[in-house]
Amino acid sequence: MQKLTNKEEEIMHILWKLRKAFVKEVQAEIIEDTPHYNTLSTIIRNLEDKGYVGHTAYGNTHQYYPIIALEDYRKTFMKTAIANYFGNSYKQLVSHFAEEEKISADELREILALIEKKS
């Protein structure tokens, strides 16, 4: 799975949300720094070349849809992030969020309960 640029990832999140969309519909969903229609169309075609997006043609118009599921992308992204930033250590990952106060003790207990339930 090829790495996506920030803009490509933003567009993929829109396509995962909409499930299928024309370029104009994707453009309407972009909140900040909305690219010109032609630029957006090029980005979506690049996503198609990378194997993330497919399309259905209606004459000269194309309706795009994601080929890669959000969950599959998430797994790959998380695996890479944990390897690159936390030395493949989930303990370091959780510790990071605890130190940054991004996760509460109650949430940690819930995670522990999930782990114990699976054991």
Side-chain angles (χ1 to χ4, degrees):
M1 201 177 291
Q2 284 185 300
K3 185 174 177 163
L4 299 180
T5 66
N6 289 341
K7 189 55 85 176
E8 287 172 336
E9 194 171 286
E10 178 184 5
I11 291 165
M12 283 305 302
H13 281 284
I14 292 168
L15 288 171
W16 284 318
K17 174 184 159 191
L18 298 177
R19 296 192 179 133
K20 56 185 177 180
F22 296 98
V23 174
K24 282 271 187 203
E25 294 169 320
V26 172
Q27 191 175 34
E29 293 285 322
I30 298 174
I31 297 167
E32 292 180 14
D33 300 323
T34 306
H36 185 272
Y37 180 93
N38 292 339
T39 303
L40 182 56
S41 181
T42 299
I43 294 169
I44 294 174
R45 284 194 312 275
N46 288 341
L47 285 167
E48 192 169 24
D49 291 343
K50 289 181 177 183
Y52 281 86
V53 172
H55 76 268
T56 303
Y58 297 96
N60 292 334
T61 305
H62 294 92
Q63 186 177 45
Y64 296 94
Y65 54 88
I67 294 174
I68 302 291
L70 173 59
E71 186 58 34
D72 293 336
Y73 182 76
R74 182 182 309 157
K75 285 178 186 176
T76 300
F77 176 82
M78 290 304 298
K79 184 178 179 182
T80 302
I82 291 166
N84 290 342
Y85 298 103
F86 300 101
N88 279 326
S89 170
Y90 287 86
K91 178 183 173 186
Q92 284 185 18
L93 170 73
V94 173
S95 295
H96 167 77
F97 289 115
E99 290 168 7
E100 295 290 318
E101 298 180 2
K102 302 291 184 190
I103 191 167
S104 70
D106 286 340
E107 290 170 320
L108 286 171
R109 282 189 279 279
E110 288 176 27
I111 292 168
L112 185 57
L114 287 171
I115 293 168
E116 290 173 344
K117 184 178 179 181
K118 290 193 178 222
S119 297

